[in-house]
Amino acid sequence: MTHVVTESCIRCRYTDCVDVCPVDCFRKGPNFLVIDPDECIDCAVCIPECPVNAIFAEEDVPDDQKAFTALNAELSALWPSITRLEPHPEDADEWAKVKEKRQFLER
């Protein structure tokens, strides 16, 4: 089983979750993070660290977010690893309140 980053992360990209990951399974895109399903060990330490509640265990991903399971797998093969806390975008706190953001995902 793996964990999945969902829509809430788009344009926020807080990296608190990255900082606690013991296996460096996060990958960094232009405005979104994903979890590499081949690296994730299902430890769940990232879940409470996410300030926008964007991370779920694969079996707990909400129905309207299920597409993000495949998206995490796809993009993790393309994006570079991120292993340390980084500053979040200046407007992340504003974007944290936005609910529907899929159209803003940059690949």
Side-chain angles (χ1 to χ4, degrees):
M1 207 50 62
T2 187
H3 284 74
V4 178
V5 181
T6 59
E7 186 172 19
S8 296
C9 181
I10 297 171
R11 297 203 70 169
C12 292
R13 204 182 66 197
Y14 296 100
T15 57
D16 306 58
C17 53
V18 171
D19 208 38
V20 298
C21 181
V23 295
D24 301 332
C25 68
F26 283 89
R27 305 293 181 260
K28 175 185 169 184
N31 67 351
F32 185 57
L33 296 173
V34 295
I35 293 174
D36 183 335
D38 294 331
E39 297 293 327
C40 180
I41 60 169
D42 198 27
C43 68
V45 296
C46 58
I47 293 175
E49 297 302 318
C50 180
V52 293
N53 299 313
I55 304 172
F56 295 88
E58 187 175 9
E59 67 270 14
D60 296 332
V61 173
D63 287 340
D64 68 334
Q65 301 289 301
K66 295 276 187 199
F68 281 90
T69 301
L71 189 64
N72 273 242
E74 173 192 340
L75 296 176
S76 68
L78 304 173
W79 288 350
S81 179
I82 177 173
T83 59
R84 292 201 166 99
L85 185 70
E86 293 183 359
H88 57 269
E90 290 181 21
D91 59 351
D93 293 338
E94 295 167 33
W95 280 102
K97 300 171 190 147
V98 177
K99 294 294 179 202
E100 297 180 13
K101 308 189 271 189
R102 290 181 199 211
Q103 69 273 22
F104 299 110
L105 175 63
E106 296 176 30
R107 294 173 176 251

